[in-house]
Amino acid sequence: MAFRTFLSALGINAPQVETVLDRVEVRPGEELTATVTLRGGGADVLVERLKLDVVGRFEDNETSETGWDNPGIVLSWTEEGPFALAAGKELVKDVVFQLPWEMPLTHMLGGRRLKGARVAVRTELAIDNSVDRGDFDEFSVHPLAPQDVVLQAFADLGFRFDEAEMKHGTPGSSVASRVKFWQEIEMWFPAEYGSSIGQVEIAFNAREDSMDLLTGGNGRLTFSYDDLDPERVRSVLDGHYRERFLPNS
């Protein structure tokens, strides 16, 4: 991102801000560093607040599939002021985000983008009781290796991926989630499971050493990262859905 003028109502006194991410491709559980450079305008100002949010596109807040209206916050970092920003001078702040293991995915198998999934860092600056939320610096979240195994198993079984949606809350009372959101990934069932079944919505609840797969109102499967043989995972998923939808097969 290039320098952008914030709080343009201040005229020549308006500061400029540049936010640069150390990388634009991450995985859940990793660190993401942002370097924020504030450049003073034509006069000294007091910055009341500098805030960076990791945000995601939440399904229930959007008016369009790709919009950024009222995004949901995943993580926040705030430096409260007031602190001085002298005319023409620069201040540099390094911000480190520890991304949650439950971080929503934006990409999946082979780097394919998940329809409807977006995450970004949003920079906010407050001066003189005025707040400016700047542009969104987007980045990509790719699956953990164990998530890749499960997603590949679904693809091998003939499931077709549709889109992803983030929702507020937790996916169920039995899920020990450490965040207040979850991501649903919508898929179409293969015809062999029954032409009338339609879609299934799955969700991952990942941790350091294992993860739950919420199978779309059809129970929960837990996978340890130490025991993720692709053939076994395919067999487990196939058996799980056949038991529910093709009990006599």
Side-chain angles (χ1 to χ4, degrees):
M1 173 181 176
F3 275 98
R4 175 185 180 276
T5 299
F6 274 54
L7 300 160
S8 56
L10 296 177
I12 63 170
N13 298 331
Q16 292 185 317
V17 181
E18 181 187 49
T19 300
V20 177
L21 305 182
D22 69 326
R23 52 189 172 143
V24 294
E25 294 188 347
V26 298
R27 298 186 190 276
E30 293 183 345
E31 287 187 349
L32 176 68
T33 300
T35 300
V36 187
T37 304
L38 290 80
R39 178 182 292 168
D44 298 351
V45 296
L46 288 178
V47 176
E48 296 165 5
R49 182 175 64 255
L50 173 64
K51 186 170 185 278
L52 270 66
D53 296 319
V54 175
V55 298
R57 178 190 171 272
F58 279 71
E59 164 263 348
D60 56 351
N61 282 338
E62 296 296 336
T63 57
S64 67
E65 178 185 305
T66 59
W68 269 122
D69 298 335
N70 193 26
I73 295 176
V74 174
L75 289 172
S76 290
W77 174 94
T78 303
E79 180 165 335
E80 296 287 355
F83 57 89
L85 178 60
K89 300 297 184 180
E90 290 188 352
L91 290 176
V92 178
K93 307 286 185 180
D94 289 323
V95 181
V96 179
F97 289 107
Q98 180 63 54
L99 301 176
W101 291 96
E102 302 90 344
M103 190 71 193
L105 307 177
T106 63
H107 290 69
M108 47 178 299
L109 302 170
R112 171 187 167 189
R113 189 171 187 91
L114 268 171
K115 178 183 174 184
R118 299 178 75 182
V119 296
V121 172
R122 178 182 63 187
T123 305
E124 174 184 306
L125 192 67
I127 296 174
D128 269 350
N129 296 315
S130 297
V131 177
D132 189 339
R133 295 181 176 92
D135 295 334
F136 295 86
D137 293 291
E138 295 201 41
F139 60 96
S140 302
V141 184
H142 294 265
L144 296 165
Q147 291 172 324
D148 248 341
V149 172
V150 172
L151 292 170
Q152 185 63 59
F154 274 113
D156 291 345
L157 291 170
F159 287 80
R160 292 182 293 111
F161 297 96
D162 186 6
E163 65 177 328
E165 298 176 341
M166 286 182 68
K167 298 192 175 184
H168 295 285
T170 59
S173 58
S174 64
V175 178
S177 179
R178 294 169 291 189
V179 296
K180 299 299 183 182
F181 60 82
W182 84 97
Q183 181 184 48
E184 284 184 345
I185 300 175
E186 299 177 357
M187 299 184 296
W188 293 97
F189 269 96
E192 67 179 272
Y193 289 92
S195 58
S196 63
I197 297 176
Q199 282 192 333
V200 62
E201 298 171 340
I202 67 166
F204 290 110
N205 184 44
R207 297 172 290 274
E208 293 84 346
D209 57 357
S210 62
M211 67 183 178
D212 297 324
L213 171 69
L214 290 305
T215 60
N218 302 295
R220 178 180 64 185
L221 299 172
T222 300
F223 296 98
S224 168
Y225 296 163
D226 294 331
D227 185 23
L228 272 181
D229 174 70
E231 186 174 340
R232 187 186 72 84
V233 172
R234 282 195 300 272
S235 177
V236 168
L237 292 179
D238 188 42
H240 178 82
Y241 285 109
R242 285 183 180 276
E243 180 182 351
R244 283 151 181 77
F245 297 106
L246 298 172
N248 298 319
S249 64

